[in-house]
């Protein structure tokens, strides 16, 4: 497998891991809706996921 392909797979796994963190954070936020720090964590990670997806699509 080429280096670029390995890097792409690694990037995809990273995005999937971030998505899992966000899902867990959303579940936690449902039980504690006033947690602004958690809300910010979700917002930042969703933006990062969006950027990383766009980056991957641009190189594909």
């Amino acid at each position: 497998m080429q280096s670029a392909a390995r890097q792409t797979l690694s990037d995809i796994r990273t995005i999937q891991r971030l998505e899992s963190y966000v899902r867990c954070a959303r579940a936690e936020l449902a039980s504690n809706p006033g947690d602004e720090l958690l809300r910010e964590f979700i917002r930042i990670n969703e933006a990062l996921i969006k950027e990383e997806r766009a980056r991957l699509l641009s190189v594909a």
Side-chain angles (χ1 to χ4, degrees):
M1 186 181 293
Q2 292 181 353
S3 176
R6 279 193 296 273
Q7 182 59 47
T8 299
L9 287 174
S10 176
D11 292 344
I12 290 170
R13 283 192 291 274
T14 299
I15 290 170
Q16 289 173 333
R17 200 168 27 256
L18 285 172
E19 289 170 332
S20 294
Y21 295 155
V22 168
R23 275 193 303 275
C24 291
R26 284 189 173 283
E28 187 68 29
L29 189 62
S31 66
N32 188 6
D35 190 338
E36 292 303 318
L37 188 59
L38 191 55
R39 193 177 305 279
E40 185 67 8
F41 172 84
I42 293 168
R43 187 190 66 72
I44 289 170
N45 280 287
E46 284 177 337
L48 180 60
I49 290 167
K50 185 177 179 181
E51 289 171 12
E52 286 299 308
R53 278 188 183 153
R55 184 184 65 78
L56 277 178
L57 288 174
S58 72
V59 297

